[in-house]
Amino acid sequence: MDGDSNSRSEYQSIAAQFAAAKAAAAKKDFIKKQTQSQEIPVDLQEQKRRASFTSLHLTTLGFFSWIFLLHVLGIYFFARGFLLTRLVLNHKSECASPSLAIPHYEQGSYSTGCWYPKTFDKAIIVIVDALRYDFTVPFREQPRHYHNALTVFHEVAVDTPHKAFLLPFIADPPTTTLQRLKGLTTGTLPTFIDAGSNFAGTAIEEDNLIAQLREANRTLVHLGDDTWHSLFPGYFDANLTRSYDSFNVWDLFTVDNGVTEHLFPLLEPANVGKWDVIVGHYLGVDHAGHRYGPDHPAMAGKLREMDEVFRRLVKSLDDQTLLVVMGDHGMDSKGDHGGESDDEVEAALWMYSNKGIFGRSLAEYAIPPATAKIRPVEQIDLVPTLSLLLGLPIPFNNLGAPIEEAFIGRDGQQWSNLAAVNALTGAQIQSYQCEYAVARGFEASTTSGPQLLLDKALILWERATSSKTADLTPIRSASQAFSDYQRETLNLCRSLWARFDITSMLVGIGILCLTLFAVLAYTKFSSGEYTNILPTLLFRIASFSVPGILAGGAAGFLISSENILDFVLLGFVGGSLLGCFSTLLSKMTRLIPIPSSLWSSIALLFTVLQAIGFASNSYTIWEDEMLLFFLATFASVAVCSSLRQATLNDRVLGLSQSFTFLGLTRLASLSRLCREEQMPFCRSTYYSSANSSTSATWQLLIPFVIALILPAIIKSYYEGTRSFEGSAIFWLGFAFRMGLLGSAILWAIDAADNGKWTSFDENVLHTMRIVIAQVVLAVAFGVGVTTYIWARPCVRLDKISGLERPLETTAKPRAVIILGYANVHGSRYFLLLSCWVLAIALLQKPMGAGAVALLSWQILALLEIIDTNDLSQSSVGPVILGLLGNYYFFKTGHQATLSSIQWDTAFIAFKNIVYPWSPLLVVLNTFGSQMLTAIAVPLLVLWKQPPKKTGLLGDVSKAMMNYILYHAFINLTTTMWAGWLRRHLMLYRIFSPRFLTGAAVLVITDIAGILVALGGFRWNMIGNAEVFGWH
């Protein structure tokens, strides 16, 4: 029994053990199956979260793109009514139909002269681009490099006044080459809207001097600037013509050498019968101005070269050839042009002939004017002068007057000749005036003033021509009366072409206003509300747009079929805005937004004060100083706020970064490029001097200092959150620094080339610059952006076991420390911003590169201020970024003027113009600071955010909308003030350029915000989610 009992007990024990083991195994299998069954839902959940983010992100991009489109349409409608245009008449002057009969001459023959006896059979017309008048007259008191180098014109005019005369030649703004060539060949006034086509010239179809020459079967030859071929395609003899690219401002010699090389062989006896008119266009003086500024040895060298060319040319002329040398415009103190300052419009005109037919009406006129303010002539006056001297009809649209010195005769008493040409010109202008009034539907009262003067002139002309006396008084009176008529008609046309399309302007302002309200309403929703409302909002915008487009098309068809596209666009705008407001207003709790904190009040106050100030021309002129005040005020408030922080660390960090922000703002103010209206109360420091466009030698150290210090500064901010890990080490520690060093070397080579410091060939140095620039751009956008897209978060895992802890006596499982965890989003996104910092710093002059580095540092300081004060949801951050962008626009050597555009940037990475890359380089140079601040906007939300932070897309889009709201409000107010002050004396010098600048900044920041900031934010989220998952 005992044996059986023991056996049974042993069996039960084994069975119990087996059962326990079986239960444990079953439990283990159950847990394993449960775990496996949960793996699929986790993956599905991640996929759903990623799909939801992608869908919402695309919807966000769609909404921002709609806002961008409305901005473009608003600017378009306003600009179409604001930027002046004129109606081009297709009428042509005919040789056989003179505007007025003159006594004792049979008109209507090209061989003897169509309207007036032909004086010359041939002509050589030479344009020395940017030949300013003071380059041609002697200067004795502290002369600059551009003085006393080109002396031939003044010498010959003084020594042989019957063979030559030199006069100031005043251009009508805008002073861009394309518009000036139009005026010099048609005799008409340019309009502001033409300035935008300076780099895309279209053929001149209206009546012009070149067309009249071809109509007369004259053989035309062109040498030099290829802009002429854009304006007059097919007009020039293909076998003799030589054209050259006109936009490479780094090249001072290719075009000029080509013109000289091919010009003089044409003057040899064997070739003189092959041509009738030669048009030569030298570019070296203009390019020397753009590259170096006028007060530079290179400018003196080019002027001396031109002096030699024209001395040689004078010796080569025969008696039947007229030589005309002129500047198409001048240049400002930095060598740029495009505006309406005195230096930009005051060109020179020199005419020479061995016939000795020129004269002066007064003895004191024998000496050329000492300044351009004395006895100037309009550039459009060249058209009737050359037409009549060459025996051609005056082009139909001409508004210029004959130049007195060319017709007054050698003795200065041939008033009958001068009266005849003034009468012919007056009659031609009267024909044009009548046709233009009919085409525009003007009432008779509009032209009644000039018509009375013409009637008086015709009466005096009839009396003078019928008089048999030797008294010159009647003929002089008639000549003066026709001149008075011409001047009055010119003033009338200027006023007529200054008529604005108020309706179109109001439509544009209305679109900008309504878009502003839509953006403002959008910013009042929280990120959670934004997520829920955005899909519905975009759907309604799209659905309401369709009937709007159809209604607009129908209205255009019924009202004005010629403007049907405008009606369609208006229908789209109206329908989409109706869909937007029908959604947003129904969700809003209050229609009028009220600032909820001190910081929001500051943001609103800064924006409104800046916008109001643009109504003042003095405020607009000194805008950079006003921005300095706003930024310094913000830093001061941040200092006070930091003192109230709860913890010592926050107080110390807040104070240090606030003072850093203030100090950097003041330091950046040392970089300054003064505009003409600021003188003499401003001193330029951006270039080596106020009369130069090259950097001072000491400024070349700035890029090297940047390469040494800026990566270390960025690293210090990363180390504050232990984020200098992963890709940050490679990109910021090595590639970014090497790119900055390459940029510094590039500008050192450029300075060596400009100053002729080495014996290396100029072409070799230029090639080195191009290669370095392309390598740095490849590092920025190739290596840098690729690193950003594929980079893992800037974190590192450290494992620490319990035995490594001094107070522990027993081993515990290893603990994992994630270095950089607290700033996962911000540290990774900043890599994208640094790529653009590198590219934009490369495209700035050394002083501008220093400003870009300060801006980068200042953005980091602002991020810390925002974080310590918990302002990531406030509008103050985006507004301060907007102020910083505009402030550094001025600190990188720019002003709200056309002449401050640094066109030579197009050739930093290319030898010739390469579309679209060359214009893009100019855009990056000009608006780089605004682009950087637009790209930095997501950092206001992402800085020091852990990976599990939710609602980031909504917060980032709200911050971006606040940033766009700032620029939209600035653009709206500059637009409104430009429209309101459209009759102001300073409209085209101050208010119109500021409107154009504001419009360009809004469009560019919209594009940068959508494509780079919001697009880059998506890659930031994907990169972090691959490690930490979607949240």
Side-chain angles (χ1 to χ4, degrees):
M1 293 291 294
D2 290 341
D4 292 340
S5 174
N6 291 336
S7 298
R8 190 182 303 111
S9 175
E10 185 177 353
Y11 172 79
Q12 291 176 347
S13 175
I14 293 173
Q17 293 178 11
F18 177 78
K22 184 177 181 181
K27 182 177 181 181
K28 186 176 181 180
D29 289 341
F30 176 77
I31 293 173
K32 184 177 180 180
K33 290 179 180 180
Q34 287 291 103
T35 303
Q36 291 176 346
S37 65
Q38 291 176 2
E39 286 180 358
I40 296 177
V42 168
D43 291 340
L44 286 175
Q45 191 174 17
E46 285 292 296
Q47 293 176 9
K48 288 181 179 179
R49 287 175 177 172
R50 176 166 182 164
S52 176
F53 171 82
T54 301
S55 175
L56 190 59
H57 183 263
L58 291 175
T59 306
T60 302
L61 293 179
F63 181 71
F64 275 82
S65 299
W66 173 70
I67 293 295
F68 164 71
L69 184 58
L70 291 188
H71 285 156
V72 171
L73 291 176
I75 293 168
Y76 160 73
F77 278 103
F78 179 84
R80 197 184 65 168
F82 177 72
L83 298 180
L84 307 180
T85 58
R86 63 179 176 89
L87 177 65
V88 175
L89 301 181
N90 294 322
H91 297 67
K92 307 290 183 182
S93 295
E94 301 292 340
C95 181
S97 302
S99 58
L100 182 73
I102 59 174
H104 314 302
Y105 179 69
E106 184 178 349
Q107 300 169 305
S109 171
Y110 280 118
S111 59
T112 58
C114 289
W115 296 2
Y116 182 80
K118 182 171 64 173
T119 308
F120 298 99
D121 295 325
K122 296 177 177 291
I124 300 175
I125 303 170
V126 180
I127 294 92
V128 180
D129 209 289
L131 180 63
R132 209 167 70 189
Y133 183 73
D134 61 340
F135 293 176
T136 65
V137 292
F139 191 88
R140 294 178 177 82
E141 297 180 4
Q142 296 181 343
R144 299 186 180 275
H145 286 100
Y146 52 82
H147 287 137
N148 305 328
L150 180 56
T151 60
V152 60
F153 301 146
H154 192 271
E155 288 178 8
V156 175
V158 171
D159 294 342
T160 56
H162 56 285
K163 290 186 176 182
F165 62 85
L166 174 64
L167 291 173
F169 201 40
I170 306 303
D172 289 292
T175 49
T176 51
T177 295
L178 182 65
Q179 284 64 48
R180 297 310 333 122
L181 294 186
K182 288 182 178 180
L184 287 168
T185 55
T186 63
T188 57
L189 299 174
T191 51
F192 202 90
I193 199 170
D194 287 336
S197 59
N198 189 44
F199 297 97
T202 55
I204 296 178
E205 298 179 355
E206 61 185 309
D207 198 9
N208 61 82
L209 181 62
I210 304 299
Q212 289 291 347
L213 285 167
R214 191 173 73 161
E215 186 68 21
N217 293 319
R218 307 287 179 89
T219 301
L220 305 177
V221 177
H222 167 255
L223 305 172
D225 186 348
D226 61 357
T227 305
W228 288 86
H229 291 270
S230 299
L231 299 177
F232 307 104
Y235 282 59
F236 300 101
D237 185 280
N239 295 322
L240 301 177
T241 291
R242 299 291 184 272
S243 64
Y244 302 88
D245 176 54
S246 59
F247 294 126
N248 188 356
V249 297
W250 294 83
D251 187 353
L252 276 61
F253 302 102
T254 299
V255 178
D256 290 7
N257 292 344
V259 174
T260 303
E261 177 185 352
H262 293 93
L263 173 61
F264 286 98
L266 292 174
L267 303 181
E268 296 176 358
N271 297 320
V272 75
K274 296 180 180 180
W275 57 271
D276 294 302
V277 175
I278 298 175
V279 177
H281 196 142
Y282 286 94
L283 290 172
V285 172
D286 178 70
H287 288 184
H290 284 299
R291 183 174 176 181
Y292 303 106
D295 193 17
H296 191 275
M299 178 61 77
K302 289 307 299 182
L303 292 175
R304 282 192 291 269
E305 176 189 335
M306 291 295 98
D307 189 79
E308 295 174 3
V309 166
F310 292 117
R311 290 182 187 276
R312 180 182 170 191
L313 188 56
V314 165
K315 297 177 181 178
S316 304
L317 290 182
D318 58 31
D319 292 347
Q320 294 301 315
T321 303
L322 170 67
L323 174 61
V324 181
V325 182
M326 72 191 93
D328 56 342
H329 51 74
M331 63 176 67
D332 64 12
S333 60
K334 305 183 307 302
D336 298 320
H337 55 88
E340 57 177 324
S341 67
D342 289 347
D343 283 343
E344 292 170 272
V345 302
E346 293 173 351
L349 171 67
W350 186 68
M351 296 181 71
Y352 177 87
S353 167
N354 283 326
K355 274 191 174 183
I357 63 166
F358 301 137
R360 314 293 189 275
S361 59
L362 295 175
E364 56 265 31
Y365 290 174
I367 304 298
T371 71
K373 302 296 187 293
I374 304 172
R375 296 187 1 250
V377 296
E378 300 279 348
Q379 287 196 350
I380 57 175
D381 294 345
L382 181 70
V383 173
T385 302
L386 282 183
S387 297
L388 296 174
L389 288 175
L390 296 175
L392 302 172
I394 300 173
F396 187 81
N397 296 334
N398 167 71
L399 292 171
I403 297 173
E404 178 182 294
E405 283 79 355
F407 298 98
I408 195 65
R410 183 167 182 161
D411 60 358
Q413 297 300 310
Q414 301 301 313
W415 289 99
S416 58
N417 290 344
L418 186 60
V421 294
N422 279 333
L424 287 169
T425 305
Q428 168 265 317
I429 291 175
Q430 196 263 346
S431 299
Y432 170 68
Q433 185 184 32
C434 290
E435 292 294 338
Y436 195 89
V438 171
R440 282 295 195 187
F442 295 147
E443 297 180 358
S445 59
T446 304
T447 58
S448 59
Q451 188 61 44
L452 291 175
L453 291 175
L454 180 63
D455 293 341
K456 174 185 175 182
L458 290 172
I459 293 173
L460 292 173
W461 167 255
E462 184 177 354
R463 291 176 181 174
T465 53
S466 61
S467 175
K468 303 299 183 181
T469 65
D471 186 9
L472 295 178
T473 303
I475 200 70
R476 293 184 65 169
S477 299
S479 178
Q480 185 61 47
F482 282 115
S483 295
D484 293 341
Y485 166 72
Q486 181 269 336
R487 284 194 296 271
E488 184 64 23
T489 303
L490 183 61
N491 293 332
L492 174 64
C493 289
R494 282 196 171 109
S495 64
L496 289 177
W497 294 339
R499 291 189 175 184
F500 302 88
D501 186 347
I502 303 299
T503 302
S504 183
M505 292 167 61
L506 290 176
V507 168
I509 291 174
I511 294 173
L512 293 175
C513 279
L514 292 174
T515 306
L516 184 76
F517 290 141
V519 173
L520 183 61
Y522 176 90
T523 61
K524 297 307 165 186
F525 292 96
S526 65
S527 60
E529 293 173 320
Y530 152 84
T531 303
N532 296 327
I533 199 175
L534 188 58
T536 304
L537 176 62
L538 200 60
F539 173 77
R540 287 203 178 185
I541 289 173
S543 59
F544 277 65
S545 297
V546 175
I549 292 173
L550 295 176
F557 181 77
L558 295 174
I559 298 173
S560 174
S561 58
E562 295 180 357
N563 298 318
I564 190 170
L565 178 60
D566 290 340
F567 282 94
V568 169
L569 294 175
L570 289 175
F572 164 76
V573 171
S576 61
L577 283 171
L578 183 61
C580 175
F581 285 120
S582 67
T583 305
L584 293 180
L585 296 181
S586 63
K587 304 289 185 179
M588 292 183 64
T589 56
R590 62 178 181 220
L591 297 179
I592 302 177
I594 300 174
S596 57
S597 66
L598 172 64
W599 294 108
S600 298
S601 301
I602 290 174
L604 177 62
L605 183 65
F606 285 177
T607 305
V608 172
L609 287 178
Q610 186 183 7
I612 293 174
F614 288 121
S616 165
N617 58 346
S618 58
Y619 176 94
T620 306
I621 291 170
W622 293 97
E623 182 182 355
D624 56 334
E625 297 297 323
M626 304 304 170
L627 291 169
L628 171 62
F629 170 77
F630 289 140
L631 292 172
T633 301
F634 166 77
S636 301
V637 175
V639 168
C640 297
S641 177
S642 299
L643 293 172
R644 302 176 59 188
Q645 297 301 315
T647 65
L648 178 61
N649 287 339
D650 284 345
R651 285 196 296 272
V652 172
L653 182 61
L655 283 172
S656 63
Q657 297 307 310
S658 298
F659 281 116
T660 298
F661 188 93
L662 179 60
L664 293 175
T665 302
R666 296 299 306 179
L667 182 61
S669 68
L670 299 178
S671 175
R672 186 182 304 110
L673 179 69
C674 304
R675 57 188 292 168
E676 182 188 22
E677 295 84 1
Q678 292 176 323
M679 306 303 289
F681 307 106
C682 178
R683 179 176 175 271
S684 293
T685 60
Y686 192 78
Y687 296 110
S688 59
S689 71
N691 295 298
S692 173
S693 57
T694 59
S695 299
T697 304
W698 69 268
Q699 292 174 335
L700 299 177
L701 295 174
I702 295 176
F704 289 97
V705 174
I706 294 171
L708 179 66
I709 295 179
L710 184 59
I713 292 172
I714 297 174
K715 178 182 178 181
S716 69
Y717 282 88
Y718 270 64
E719 289 181 337
T721 53
R722 307 292 296 275
S723 300
F724 197 71
E725 305 290 347
S727 299
I729 298 176
F730 164 72
W731 171 247
L732 295 175
F734 175 73
F736 181 67
R737 188 188 297 276
M738 291 299 101
L740 292 175
L741 182 60
S743 177
I745 294 173
L746 180 147
W747 288 110
I749 294 175
D750 177 72
D753 184 18
N754 292 340
K756 307 301 179 185
W757 297 347
T758 70
S759 58
F760 284 104
D761 183 73
E762 180 179 347
N763 292 327
V764 173
L765 295 176
H766 188 47
T767 301
M768 291 174 61
R769 288 199 307 266
I770 292 176
V771 171
I772 292 173
Q774 291 178 348
V775 169
V776 174
L777 289 174
V779 170
F781 294 124
V783 178
V785 174
T786 301
T787 299
Y788 171 74
I789 291 175
W790 297 104
R792 294 289 183 174
C794 298
V795 297
R796 180 165 61 89
L797 302 181
D798 272 2
K799 296 180 181 180
I800 304 176
S801 68
L803 291 176
E804 294 171 344
R805 303 175 186 176
L807 298 180
E808 301 284 350
T809 57
T810 60
K812 292 185 179 181
R814 289 177 178 269
V816 177
I817 297 178
I818 305 178
L819 301 179
Y821 183 86
N823 194 19
V824 163
H825 287 291
S827 60
R828 191 183 187 282
Y829 184 87
F830 191 86
L831 299 179
L832 176 63
L833 179 65
S834 63
C835 299
W836 288 85
V837 168
L838 175 59
I840 291 172
L842 167 74
L843 300 175
Q844 306 293 335
K845 299 291 175 68
M847 201 73 170
V852 170
L854 294 179
L855 173 59
S856 307
W857 189 356
Q858 207 158 357
I859 289 173
L860 288 167
L862 175 64
L863 297 177
E864 296 291 356
I865 294 172
I866 295 297
D867 177 66
T868 56
N869 289 276
D870 194 20
L871 297 174
S872 62
Q873 302 296 316
S874 174
S875 60
V876 71
V879 169
I880 297 302
L881 277 179
L883 292 171
L884 280 173
N886 286 341
Y887 180 64
Y888 279 92
F889 169 79
F890 297 100
K891 302 302 114 182
T892 51
H894 300 96
Q895 287 282 349
T897 58
L898 189 63
S899 60
S900 71
I901 298 176
Q902 299 168 24
W903 299 111
D904 56 344
T905 308
F907 303 98
I908 287 180
F910 305 102
K911 186 175 182 179
N912 299 305
I913 290 287
V914 180
Y915 292 100
W917 309 116
S918 296
L920 284 177
L921 295 184
V922 177
V923 170
L924 287 174
N925 168 273
T926 306
F927 302 106
S929 60
Q930 287 98 340
M931 293 181 68
L932 286 179
T933 53
I935 297 169
V937 169
L939 283 169
L940 297 171
V941 175
L942 300 178
W943 193 251
K944 292 190 176 180
Q945 292 296 343
K948 295 185 178 181
K949 172 71 175 178
T950 59
L952 287 178
L953 178 56
D955 293 340
V956 167
S957 65
K958 183 177 179 180
M960 183 59 67
M961 271 301 176
N962 276 309
Y963 179 83
I964 290 176
L965 181 64
Y966 164 78
H967 283 298
F969 192 67
I970 296 300
N971 173 66
L972 173 63
T973 52
T974 55
T975 301
M976 293 174 64
W977 291 130
W980 181 258
L981 299 170
R982 62 189 179 277
R983 299 297 179 186
H984 195 282
L985 182 63
M986 292 289 134
L987 175 65
Y988 291 112
R989 180 169 289 196
I990 296 175
F991 297 109
S992 182
R994 188 59 186 87
F995 149 67
L996 293 173
T997 301
V1001 168
L1002 178 61
V1003 170
I1004 289 170
T1005 52
D1006 278 351
I1007 294 173
I1010 295 170
L1011 297 182
V1012 184
L1014 293 178
F1017 170 74
R1018 178 178 182 272
W1019 289 107
N1020 189 76
M1021 293 295 293
I1022 291 175
N1024 288 329
E1026 288 178 352
V1027 176
F1028 296 102
W1030 291 91
H1031 301 282

